[in-house]
Amino acid sequence: MLLLLLLLAPPASSALGQPGRGQAAAEVPARIGNVASDLGIVTGSGEVTFSLESGSDYLKIDNMTGELSTTEQMIFDENECFLDFEVSVIGPSQSWVDLFEGRVIILDINDNTPTFPSPVLTLTVEQIRPVGTLYLLPTATDRDFGRNGIERYELLQEPGGDSVFELQVADTPDGEKQPQLIVKGALDREQRDSYELSLRPARSSQAILRVLITDVNDNSPRFEKSVYEADLAENSSPGTPILQLRAADLDVGVNGQIEYVFGAATESVRRLLRLDETSGWLSVLHRIDREEVNQLRFSVMARDRGQPPKTDKATVVLNIRDENDNVPTIDIRKIGRIPLRDGVASVAEDVLVDTPIALVQVSDRDQGENGVVTCTVVGDVPFQLKPASEGEGEPQNKRKYFLHTSAPLDYEAVRDYNVVIVAVDSGSPSLSSNNSLLVRVADTNDNPPVFSQPVVEVSFPENNSPGERVATVAATDADSGKNAEITYSLEPSPLSSEAPGGIFTIDPDSGDVLVQAVLDREQRDTYEFQVTARDKGVPALQGSTTVVVRVADRNDNEPRFMQDVFTFYVKENLQPNSPVGMVTVMDADRGRNAELSLSIQPGEQDQAAGIFSIENDTGTIYSTVSFDREQQTSYTFKVKAVDGGEPPRSATATVSLFVMDENDNPPAVTFPSNSSYTVLPPSSNLRTVVATVLATDADTGLNADLNYSIVGGNPFKLFEIDPASGVVSLVGKLAPKHHGLHRLVVQVNDSGQPPQATTALLHVFVNESLSNATVVESQVARSLHTPLAQDIAGDPSYELSKQRLSIVIGVVAGIMTVVLLILVVVMARYCRSKGKHGYEAGKKDHEDFFTPQQHDKAKKPKKDKKGKKGKQPLYSSIVTVEASKPNGQRYDSVNEKLSDSPSMGRYRSVNGGPGSPDLARHYKSSSPLPTVQLHPQSPTAGKKHQAVQELPPANTFVGAGDNISIGSDHCSEYSCQASSKYSKQV
């Protein structure tokens, strides 16, 4: 950037002189020019000096030589940038002051790179567009301007691609460069539907231009005019309509539907204005302040909805019309060597009349009459305003004045002047403002008072009497006379803004510091303030020392518990010597006065005596016993705290201890008792209430929430119990087999964790009436000694009688079958003896149908070792059925068993011929007796079975040991009472 310096240099007579100019680079600190040489002032003597009154943020000046230079880099974004400044030329002893204005014009350098709105630009082109069709391309933006802005664009074709596009750059009425794409070759979307080119401003970054070939949308929207201009009053409320942009499109359908969007518009335009996309109405979005923005210039795009869309651009210029909404501002600044800080100007009383002491700048941000300002000094003060320059080109809304002395100043008469300056603008209605300057008249005095110590520390006890002396401070002054006469005052400490007034005072002559209030160390233990000693010179000089008052403690505070009542909750069954709570107590005193001793004080009922103890250091309360909520639910006692002061002070607090329940008690059944019973008639209807089981639990809450259930003794599912109420109801239909005593095992559970349970017996006697209570009571008594796993329900003889009847029927059928077989055998033998002359032992009779039919020839008997034929038994096997006698002895065979029956006569064996039934098969299938297994060969029988050896081998069978216990006393499924009945039938 380059700077052009323009100085207005009126001479001492306030006539306007010729301006001087200079140039310098502003990117780094650089020299701009020399004010002295431009004004023709000779420097070097030191009598004339220069001071930069404004513009010091970016500029600096040598006060002796008048050399003007920059201080740091300056960056501006506007097309025309400048910086105004002021320089004052000060005569000897500030007897005169001249003010000069200057302007630095900042020239642009090419330090910004042009950028596109997006790195990829998409353009749609119809395939039927003829050669020469032109398309507007998005423009790049460059923060630079002029020659450093965008001068031209370049289009880079794809390597080896067809050159079907060409770039043309046109100048717009706004002075911008508009890139345009021209079709110079035939397009065929079916062969190629897109092209990627590179568009860039000359020697800058580039963007990809993506050209998409689409179908027909051959008419672009057209605005009614290319430039829309309107005036808008500043501070217009949001929603205020400004103007309507209208565009037309000859196409129809979506290709003719137009939407309006912002084009090249800054962020402030988009923030302040709203453009209706459909109607084109432009309205206010946020209030616009003309003092921030006086004109909005942007472009609006009309875009149809075709594919691809076509656009037209119009420029909108909005001039913001000024309203009188700004009050004049008054800025009072220093001028020359007169110091001015925080609105106070220190002026020596010996200054000459008409001496400028401050610079007053009055400005108004409004324009025209709204910004014309008149400024005056209010009140009877020895000061007046004079214009700083009388140039005709000075703007009306920005004026500068010198504040001059208009009369001699007298320190002894008036030390301070409050100069009020009022500014009024010429608007309708007019606005005004004011500012004030405190002019402090100073005297000459070069030695301040000095204290011997910079810090004075004092220890002072609390609970004092008002008016007591705390300390005495003294200062000395090397001056003499009035300038050595010292007065003392109190000021806030540099580390604290709190004023000591009201608590401490000081005798201005002796320096005695007095306390005016009662000090409380617990409220504040340290006070710090300054004692200032001022001499009586003109101007007065001063010195100071810091006074630190440390408040000593007294035992004036009782111990204080954090709560009046401490409430604790502990579980029962807690181990002895366990902590049950903690109390907190404090004492606002310090040291021994705050050392506390804690103790347990018995309550009214002496509940805590010997039960609780307290730890002095922590305030923890311990119990010496284990709590039982069922015995006692709460304890109340007091804790006492005594401090170590003289005399000691104490305080008490109440402790309430509540014992929380644990599930340590099982439910207790109160009804019924295990030995009681209830009579239930068999005619009872369903849902008849039989009894109600009542139980209690010494615990509370969920631990005492009981539920009931039947866990045994209900095999017929006749009864059920309500889980919540314990009501036992009849839910099954009673039958004759249900008559008698029923024992229900009822379990009562609580809901604790873990739960506890109790079991009770409910006896129900089902019968029409209670004819013999003694019998029922004896059954109940036997029930109490019967295991719970065994069900007691109804009449046990009912099922037993049915079983016995089945057994009797089966035994009778078996006996009848056996008798029938015996008769058949007897008849067969009888018939055989009738048909033969005799019977020879060992001789085989082929007509014997007890012998099986043999188709093979009989084998000859084998000889023994001596060559003789052995005596062969007639049969090779015998019947060996084992049974038990009634007295527990075993029968050796069925024969012996049968011989005991008087009806069997001499028959010891059971014989049968080929047509007789198979007894073994009969026993297997039909007889209720255990099955008999057949064996092809049986061992030779002993002597007592010799008569049985005549049985034919085909009927030989052997019983399976003890499984055939016909007369056994053992009760099996059919054997109970069977042996006696069977014997009688035989």
Side-chain angles (χ1 to χ4, degrees), residues 514-534:
L514 307 177
V515 60
Q516 301 299 324
V518 179
L519 301 183
D520 187 357
R521 188 204 62 80
E522 287 71 33
Q523 296 294 328
R524 184 172 179 178
D525 60 356
T526 303
Y527 294 87
E528 184 174 333
F529 51 88
Q530 279 191 340
V531 175
T532 301
R534 292 183 177 87

Side-chain angles (χ1 to χ4, degrees), residues 786-852:
T786 303
L788 298 182
Q790 181 175 343
D791 291 335
I792 298 176
D795 184 7
S797 63
Y798 181 82
E799 292 294 335
L800 183 59
S801 61
K802 290 175 62 177
Q803 294 179 4
R804 288 175 177 175
L805 179 61
S806 299
I807 293 173
V808 169
I809 294 173
V811 170
V812 170
I815 292 175
M816 294 301 294
T817 303
V818 172
V819 171
L820 180 63
L821 291 176
I822 292 174
L823 292 176
V824 171
V825 172
V826 172
M827 292 299 296
R829 295 190 61 168
Y830 178 77
C831 294
R832 189 181 63 174
S833 61
K834 285 282 186 176
K836 292 187 179 288
H837 295 286
Y839 184 82
E840 294 181 5
K843 183 179 180 181
K844 185 175 181 181
D845 190 351
H846 293 286
E847 295 181 0
D848 187 359
F849 41 51
F850 285 97
T851 303

Side-chain angles (χ1 to χ4, degrees), residues 186-236:
L187 301 176
D188 189 349
R189 186 186 61 80
E190 286 71 27
Q191 293 185 1
R192 183 171 183 180
D193 60 357
S194 65
Y195 297 83
E196 287 201 2
L197 311 175
S198 296
L199 178 66
R200 70 176 183 182
R203 300 182 303 278
S204 180
S205 60
Q206 66 183 22
I208 296 175
L209 176 59
R210 184 169 294 159
V211 182
L212 303 178
I213 310 303
T214 62
D215 286 324
V216 177
N217 180 19
D218 57 347
N219 289 287
S220 299
R222 290 292 180 264
F223 279 100
E224 293 178 347
K225 48 186 177 180
S226 60
V227 178
Y228 290 82
E229 188 169 0
D231 293 335
L232 176 65
E234 69 173 334
N235 300 323
S236 296

Side-chain angles (χ1 to χ4, degrees), residues 648-660:
R649 293 175 176 269
S650 64
T652 61
T654 302
V655 175
S656 295
L657 186 69
F658 295 94
V659 182
M660 295 187 297

Side-chain angles (χ1 to χ4, degrees), residues 462-463 520-522 552-559 586-596 643-645 647 649:
E462 66 177 341
N463 303 328
D520 187 357
R521 188 204 62 80
E522 287 71 33
D553 183 69
R554 288 179 177 175
N555 191 24
D556 58 344
N557 290 278
E558 297 178 350
M586 297 184 298
D587 196 313
D589 294 323
R590 179 179 292 176
R592 187 173 182 80
N593 296 330
E595 294 180 359
L596 301 178
D643 64 21
R649 293 175 176 269

Side-chain angles (χ1 to χ4, degrees), residues 206-281:
Q206 66 183 22
I208 296 175
L209 176 59
R210 184 169 294 159
V211 182
L212 303 178
I213 310 303
T214 62
D215 286 324
V216 177
N217 180 19
D218 57 347
N219 289 287
S220 299
R222 290 292 180 264
F223 279 100
E224 293 178 347
K225 48 186 177 180
S226 60
V227 178
Y228 290 82
E229 188 169 0
D231 293 335
L232 176 65
E234 69 173 334
N235 300 323
S236 296
S237 59
T240 301
I242 302 173
L243 58 89
Q244 184 178 19
L245 296 100
R246 290 189 179 90
D249 195 323
L250 298 178
D251 293 326
V252 295
V254 294
N255 295 330
Q257 296 176 3
I258 299 174
E259 58 182 4
Y260 302 88
V261 295
F262 285 110
T266 62
E267 188 65 28
S268 61
V269 172
R270 300 176 186 269
R271 178 176 57 86
L272 297 174
L273 301 179
R274 178 182 179 274
L275 179 60
D276 188 274
E277 186 178 79
T278 305
S279 65
W281 267 105

Side-chain angles (χ1 to χ4, degrees), residues 36 93 123 128 239 243 279 358 455 459 610 839:
S93 301
L123 175 67
I128 63 171
L243 58 89
S279 65
V455 178
S459 178
Y839 184 82

